[in-house]
Amino acid sequence: MLGRCGGAAENGTRVVDHAARVLRELGVNKVFGITGGSIMGFFDALALEDIEIVMFRHEQGAAHAADAYGRITRRPGVVMATSGPGATNLVTGIANAYFDSSPMMAVTGQVPTTVFGRDAFQETDIVGVTAPITKFNYQIRRPSETGPAIRAAYRLAYEGRPGPTLVDFPRDVQLAPYSCEGGEQAYLPLDFSKYRPPKPDPVAIRKAARLLAVASRPVILVGNGVYWSQAWGEVLQLAELLQAPVVTTLPGKNAVPANHPLVMGPAGMHGRLEADAALANADVVLAVGTRFSDRTVGRFGPELGEKKIIHIDIDPSELGKNVKPAVAIRADARAALRALLRALPAVPRRDTRFLEWLNYIRRRYEEAMEAWARRLRKFAPWKVLRALREVAPPDTITVTGVGSHQMWAEQHWDVLVPGTWVTSAGLGTMGFSVPAALGAKIAAPERPVLCLDGDGSFQMTMNNLALVRDYNLPVTFVIFDNRALMLVKHWQIYLYDRRIVATEYSSRPDFAKIAEAYDIEAVRPSSLNEVRKWADWSIRNNEPIVIIIDIDNEEDLVLPWVKPGEWLTQAVKPPGLEDLDLVYREDWRPPIEAEVRAS
Ligand code: FAD
């Protein structure tokens, strides 16, 4: 049997009262959601238990807010909705959390068990619908299952690899009298007392250490799991010992400070040039807490097969799923890296030329972006990001939507403090940003929250701006307004012979008026100085603002970019870098040295 009975005092109360007390006991003091016929009983119990209900304007928004809240607090964000449309509106948010390994617990109301299967008003099989996108889901059929089900769902959301869980709660069960007689019966074959995080296998650790010690060009690939494991210190220590460049995935940006000299930034389809070059030319890759998505490696072709890959992941199903590792280590990232640090033999002094080459690429890349920015008619998005970074304190939480602004942020937003980067990476959910930024602000009211969004993404969930004044959530919203679904238009330009289909808006609302309607200041800066000034004003005064940045949608092409199915060295480069070769040659010399020799 799992769980405990709430005690004699609970006899005679409703099942939902008991459920609210279990949530309180788990430390939940806020729930995101929208009420309705099948969940109002639970909301009533939450209010009686003094658990705050944060009322969103759409359930998807509530789910994204709970997701972001979970990422910041590292405890599950709890979202609740009624049956039928309330529950199905959560689905995108649940899938988003699933793809990004984010701890979240959803509770849905359900029609009474007495009318199950009769197509009752707002009846939907949400347990069936969410089975493939939850770590665990469960429908409570008996009052005695309530405590065990809620505790299991809460714990499973954060234990091991985090992810979303769901508890479905029929209305008649919610409102039934709660009795502890006979104790809580768990019809859940789960026994947490036996759970221990997997320990790294010492044989695999020794093998990995040997491979790293003799590697010529070792590279560390940091994924989101490094954030969950809080293993950034170990990653950097190992990188320094090995003099190995560190590249990240898009969510892995959250796990290492961008200003460390060995951190090359994110690699992949929209990675930075020096990071793509590092990963592509590595002979040994130490991949930590990443599931090797197609977006990170471009393609799973022979180029990857030639590398020796050491893969550390807490989830055994990820090991060998997308790439064949030379060494697979099933463990928490931090535990595995600590073991690796202990096992590492003396590392021979390595030729630093590979690092010099990567830094040379970085320099050329930065210079080319500067030159490109000077030629643009309107704002260069990457310059706007740099300007915002200058005024945003290092611990500012930055949340993005999905689209070209997100890709510019992948390449040019410097995450200075681990745990301050929130993006929809795996599902790529447009509309994530506004509600996720609100969830982040609720999780960390004392810290600035910067919401970077595109006009397309913003329009999908902007109704949630209502919460800014409702709950005093002063977020700095920045809309990169290019009047297009730009990443798709980008593909149309490069891959569909420039046939622009359904990616440009012929009309759209005035975002300043939208902001005004929600009682939020809005500005349209005409220079980078004004961008700095307004963002600084919002952050310093703890005032919300909507900053609208005018971007030209012919010029807004996020480069570098690796075409789908191509390898990292084949990236389409920004203008001025056509001659830059991303394939490392052993005889490479810094240009000045080469020039001197030639003369
Ligand atoms: P996740 O998918 O979150 O996986 C985390 C991994 O860590 C899992 O395998 C998990 O089991 C493991 N883990 C969790 N906890 C622990 C722990 N304690 N210890 C050890 N392991 C743990 N991504 C890129 O990389 N490059 C790109 O250029 C890129 N372009 C994109 C473009 C767009 C428009 C969008 C929307 C997304 C893009 N992405 C890109 C994101 C991409 O889709 C994937 O989401 C991302 O690559 C996955 O990164 P990940 O494996 O680090 O994180």
Side-chain angles (χ1 to χ4, degrees), residues 273 357 360-361 364-365 367-369 371-372 375 494 557 559-560 569-583 585:
L273 279 178
W357 179 67
Y360 164 73
I361 293 176
R364 291 247 355 237
Y365 175 28
E367 286 163 8
M369 295 308 285
W372 190 13
R375 293 199 297 276
Y494 280 91
L557 297 170
L559 300 177
T569 54
Q570 296 163 323
V572 181
K573 297 183 227 38
L577 293 175
E578 294 74 13
D579 66 305
L580 190 66
D581 190 358
L582 299 184
V583 178
R585 303 194 193 287

Side-chain angles (χ1 to χ4, degrees), residues 99-101 161 223-225 228-229 249-251 267-271 289-291 293 295-296 313-315 318 331-333 406-407 410 424-426 428 487:
F99 271 82
D100 285 348
S101 298
R161 177 181 184 167
N224 198 13
W228 289 115
S229 166
T249 63
L250 170 63
M269 176 177 268
H270 283 288
T290 174
R291 62 182 166 86
S293 92
R295 288 290 189 264
T296 308
D313 203 289
I314 204 164
D315 181 348
E318 293 297 344
D332 171 66
Q406 178 194 26
M407 297 298 96
E410 169 172 359
S424 166
L487 276 191

